[in-house]
Amino acid sequence: MERLFEILESIKTNRLRTFLTGFSVAWGIFMLVILLGLGNGLQNGTKEKFKGSAINSIFISPGQTSISHEGLLPGRKIKFRNEDYDLMKKEIAGIDKISARVAKWRTFLVSYKDKSAGYRVRGVHPDHQFVEKTDIVSGRYVNESDLKDNRKVCVISKVIQTELFGEQAAIGEWLSLSGTQVKVVGIFEDAGSEGENGVLYMPISTAQLAFGRADKIDRIVFTTGDATLEETQAMADKALDLMSEKYHFSKDDPRAVRIRNNYESYKRIAGTIDIMKSFFWLIGVFTIIAGIIGVSNIMLITVQERTKEIGIRKSIGATPLSVVSIIVQESLLITGLFGYIGLFMGVFLLELVAKFLPSTGAVISNPTVDFQTAIIALVVLIVAGGLAALRPSMKAAQIKPVVALAAD
């Protein structure tokens, strides 16, 4: 306790010096926490972006040719059919879940008794539930029997349930879909964008009849299970090969068929973020090192200012170890105290910023730092502060009492 009071008295006597030393330490760990939080926020934002669809999913949509091929002029529209879904399901090895999709981009007027609103409608296969990460909270999803029998059933979101039914149960009730009666068989929640909660899902066979689409489909989507990036790219290439051969367009035509490999996009963005996080670590560590060097230099100044005091201590029997310990302990106290302040301010600022960020759609989401990582950084900082004081303290321990007492 006596040693603590002695250190505090020394700090009090040299307030400006102590503040400048502590500020450099606090700033170092503050910047490290902020940069790590920013890196984690970017990573979380990327995950949020892919939250609505399976990361390991591939979306394939027909387009319009822009390159002449096999004597055929550009400008031909490619139109997918049910047989293309069957072809991909059969020929592409490694597919986990697969669904075709028929959609109306304009909203349909959906009514229940005296309430009505406009929603989008999608016709899908049962596997679509897993591609779009649609969580059924009540009832069921579209099944194979619905497709086979062209059943007039639908699955609606909790948002639609609230808007049309209020507190009333929706399962088993009939909706009017632009004049067509469909039965609600399930309620879902979607982790993706808010727009996904304004969608009704129907069996694709029923939707094709309702939309007058015959056997035409708008998109084919499938997941790739545990496939590697190279394997998913091979599966996407296989899909392109199948369609280019069937519809006679060049595989180099970027507009004939559009393929979006979510896993490839995710890995590319995640790789960029990993590089950025490493760069952030580097900046943060160098900032802390600069602070530690500052501690070492300030401790050297401290030794010079206290040369006579150290000489008196040694003349009355102070051992070199006790001289070393008082300098090191002062450094540990300053480093620990201001390091904790920097850590606290960094975490506080990240929490404050997180409250003002939008919950969905933001590039940076939940920019927090792992508590264990922050504590480890603080401990390393304190240890480094102690080590930084060793050189000045060893120099102080070597001072001869006679020389020290003679110093001005």
Side-chain angles (χ1 to χ4, degrees), residues 129 132-138 155-159 187-192 196-197:
Q129 175 186 357
E132 281 289 348
K133 292 185 178 180
T134 306
D135 297 324
I136 297 297
V137 296
S138 180
V155 182
I156 65 174
S157 69
K158 288 188 69 176
V159 172
I187 311 294
F188 74 87
E189 285 184 332
D190 195 294
E196 295 298 319
N197 287 302

Side-chain angles (χ1 to χ4, degrees), residues 132-404:
E132 281 289 348
K133 292 185 178 180
T134 306
D135 297 324
I136 297 297
V137 296
S138 180
R140 64 174 179 83
Y141 198 69
V142 171
N143 61 33
E144 292 293 342
S145 296
D146 296 331
L147 270 66
K148 181 179 179 181
D149 299 333
N150 299 328
R151 291 176 182 171
K152 295 181 178 180
V153 297
C154 70
V155 182
I156 65 174
S157 69
K158 288 188 69 176
V159 172
I160 297 176
Q161 178 191 25
T162 300
E163 292 176 351
L164 295 182
F165 294 92
E167 298 297 324
Q168 179 184 339
I171 301 296
E173 297 295 323
W174 290 81
L175 297 175
S176 175
L177 178 59
S178 294
T180 301
Q181 299 296 310
V182 291
K183 184 180 181 180
V184 178
V185 296
I187 311 294
F188 74 87
E189 285 184 332
D190 195 294
S193 64
E194 294 181 4
E196 295 298 319
N197 287 302
V199 177
L200 284 84
Y201 289 109
M202 299 173 60
I204 189 168
S205 56
T206 306
Q208 287 172 327
L209 291 173
F211 301 160
R213 301 291 299 276
D215 66 340
K216 295 183 179 67
I217 56 180
D218 298 319
R219 179 175 290 175
I220 299 173
V221 297
F222 59 82
T223 59
T224 58
D226 296 327
T228 64
L229 176 59
E230 291 74 18
E231 290 169 339
T232 65
Q233 290 170 334
M235 294 168 73
D237 290 342
K238 179 64 175 178
L240 182 60
D241 289 341
L242 292 172
M243 294 300 99
S244 65
E245 182 178 351
K246 180 178 178 182
Y247 291 104
H248 305 286
F249 63 84
S250 171
K251 288 186 289 185
D252 296 324
D253 191 336
R255 297 183 180 179
V257 167
R258 297 181 298 276
I259 298 180
R260 188 181 83 211
N261 186 340
N262 270 351
Y263 190 59
E264 181 180 16
S265 300
Y266 176 79
K267 293 293 285 185
R268 182 175 63 252
I269 297 173
T272 302
I273 291 175
D274 285 341
I275 294 173
M276 292 177 65
K277 288 180 70 174
S278 299
F279 183 66
F280 291 161
W281 262 107
L282 191 63
I283 294 174
V285 168
F286 273 110
T287 305
I288 288 179
I289 290 174
I292 295 303
I293 292 174
V295 171
S296 179
N297 291 334
I298 292 296
M299 289 299 105
L300 279 172
I301 296 173
T302 300
V303 169
Q304 291 175 358
E305 291 178 348
R306 300 172 64 181
T307 299
K308 183 168 289 189
E309 175 194 336
I310 293 171
I312 294 172
R313 287 176 178 274
K314 297 189 72 174
S315 67
I316 59 176
T319 64
L321 181 60
S322 67
V323 174
V324 169
S325 67
I326 192 170
I327 302 298
V328 170
Q329 287 171 16
E330 181 174 341
S331 176
L332 288 174
L333 181 61
I334 294 173
T335 307
L337 177 61
F338 283 90
Y340 178 80
I341 292 174
L343 174 64
F344 174 80
M345 294 302 296
V347 172
F348 175 79
L349 181 59
L350 290 176
E351 294 289 342
L352 186 64
V353 170
K355 290 183 179 180
F356 291 95
L357 291 175
S359 57
T360 58
V363 176
I364 298 176
S365 176
N366 191 25
T368 57
V369 63
D370 180 65
F371 181 74
Q372 183 177 0
T373 301
I375 293 299
I376 291 175
L378 179 60
V379 171
V380 171
L381 177 65
I382 294 172
V383 172
L387 294 175
L390 278 179
R391 184 166 68 95
S393 63
M394 293 296 290
K395 182 177 180 180
Q398 294 171 1
I399 295 175
K400 296 181 179 180
V402 175
V403 176

